[in-house]
Amino acid sequence: AQVFPSRGGHSVEIAIDAGDLGRMSLFAARVPTFAVIAPSLARFDQTKAVYWQTGPLAYALTGTGSDEIIEQAAVRLSRKLQ
């Protein structure tokens, strides 16, 4: 785990060895705008991430697994972090 400074307070990133899902990283930060955003896949060159927002907190999940595996994991996490 690592803590980072951000505009809305501290943010945190956690590296996870998720067994069959591979290595994953979860980033969470408080954001200035309250919103509810469903998990959405974003691609950046070779990297992919699924991001979502629940109220004042935004999350991003990245990993070495397929798009489908990362999206499914993000949906499950988003439901638990509401």
Side-chain angles (χ1 to χ4, degrees), residues 7-82:
R7 291 181 201 172
H10 294 335
S11 57
V12 65
E13 182 174 15
I14 301 168
I16 304 160
D17 183 358
D20 292 343
L21 301 178
R23 295 199 41 82
M24 303 185 107
S25 178
L26 177 64
F27 179 80
R30 185 169 294 281
V31 291
T33 305
F34 187 97
V36 176
I37 300 171
S40 302
L41 180 67
R43 292 182 163 280
F44 309 96
D45 294 325
Q46 301 280 331
T47 306
K48 58 189 164 262
V50 176
Y51 66 91
W52 69 96
Q53 185 173 338
T54 56
L57 298 173
Y59 301 91
L61 183 68
T62 62
T64 58
S66 68
D67 292 0
E68 184 178 341
I69 286 173
I70 295 172
E71 285 180 296
Q72 289 174 355
V75 167
R76 287 193 307 267
L77 272 171
S78 71
R79 291 178 183 153
K80 292 181 183 214
L81 295 173
Q82 291 183 2

